Amino acid sequence: MAVGDALSIGEGELHLWLLPPPLSPRDVPIGELDALEKRRAAAYVAAENQRMYAAAHVGLRRVLAVYTGVEPRLLSIAGERYDGAGGRHGRPRVLGMPGAPEFSLSHSHGLAVVAVTEPRVGADVQRLPSEATAEAVLPALHPAERDELGQLSGDERTRAFGRLWTRKEAYLKGLGTGLGRGVHLDYLGEYGTGDRPAGWVVGNLPLCESHIAAVAVMGSGDRRVLIRSVPEALLYAHDAADRIATVEPGLHALLRDVAGEAGDGGARAA
């Protein structure tokens, strides 16, 4: 049975959904996941990580049901590239539904985000990194990024690294390569924004104190970002897709196309 009226994406819009973790493992309807998702969830050693993976992917399916009108368990989600041997790799897409929106899922330490829009998109969310993490990763970055971070210190440097890293991961997810592409190859810094990869709008989004998020959208021009936070009671309800569709954006932001400009490459709350 199809869910209710599909939610549409306006021209120049990007929808960002914030999904909470379940309060109990029993809240996660893992029957909505496919066999590959179940295997990947089971591969995590810690039960908490298993639950977070499963919950994030159940949430993704329920959000996509809002746009496609198809029940979450019936959606076919797989990598965009067929390897010729029965497997699929690369950035995930909704298969068998021409016109289905593009999406990207990311989850980290109790928070999952789903970005949904018409063009190709990547999203990343990370818990605020430690100073030790920033220092360890610094040598692997693009030379200009290393120079920028080297001019900062303390908490300012750590936060700048967190913003940079989420932008970088969002872009690489949008490409479909993930971290298989060397992180030193592309400049995603905050100052030489005109040197960023052509054909993409990349920036951070306002979120919460504990986490940092970023999105990368193929194309050009500013994007209006509608951010919705889904209550736990709605996300895991039996009629979740219909109820999620009623959630109004709690925050509007503008993802600026800063190509050729100097700035922080981020979004502005509206």
Side-chain angles (χ1 to χ4, degrees), residues 161-225:
F161 168 78
R163 294 193 300 271
L164 167 65
W165 190 254
T166 54
R167 291 194 301 270
K168 193 172 288 283
E169 284 225 40
Y171 170 66
L172 295 176
K173 289 174 70 173
L175 286 182
T177 65
L179 294 175
R181 178 177 172 85
V183 297
H184 66 286
L185 296 176
D186 306 291
Y187 172 80
L188 275 302
E190 295 190 340
Y191 299 111
T193 50
D195 298 324
R196 287 185 181 179
W200 288 84
V201 182
V202 185
N204 294 102
L205 296 172
L207 209 54
C208 57
E209 286 297 319
S210 60
H211 288 73
I212 302 172
V215 292
V217 185
M218 179 179 279
S220 60
D222 296 346
R223 294 273 163 182
R224 297 188 305 278
V225 184

Side-chain angles (χ1 to χ4, degrees), residues 113-267:
V113 300
V114 177
V116 184
T117 189
E118 294 297 341
R120 194 178 183 96
V121 63
D124 188 60
V125 64
Q126 301 279 342
R127 187 169 63 178
L128 187 66
S130 67
E131 183 176 352
T133 297
E135 292 298 325
V137 177
L138 185 62
L141 299 176
H142 187 282
E145 296 169 346
R146 295 200 302 266
D147 290 343
E148 289 179 14
L149 292 175
Q151 299 174 35
L152 306 174
S153 61
D155 289 346
E156 185 180 11
R157 184 178 187 176
T158 301
R159 287 187 174 275
F161 168 78
R163 294 193 300 271
L164 167 65
W165 190 254
T166 54
R167 291 194 301 270
K168 193 172 288 283
E169 284 225 40
Y171 170 66
L172 295 176
K173 289 174 70 173
L175 286 182
T177 65
L179 294 175
R181 178 177 172 85
V183 297
H184 66 286
L185 296 176
D186 306 291
Y187 172 80
L188 275 302
E190 295 190 340
Y191 299 111
T193 50
D195 298 324
R196 287 185 181 179
W200 288 84
V201 182
V202 185
N204 294 102
L205 296 172
L207 209 54
C208 57
E209 286 297 319
S210 60
H211 288 73
I212 302 172
V215 292
V217 185
M218 179 179 279
S220 60
D222 296 346
R223 294 273 163 182
R224 297 188 305 278
V225 184
L226 281 62
I227 302 176
R228 295 173 168 90
S229 183
V230 182
E232 189 266 347
L234 267 64
L235 184 59
Y236 300 104
H238 69 89
D239 56 347
D242 288 326
R243 298 180 69 180
I244 291 172
T246 67
V247 176
E248 294 293 332
L251 180 66
H252 295 249
L254 182 68
L255 179 68
R256 294 174 54 241
D257 183 354
V258 294
E261 301 178 12
D264 64 1

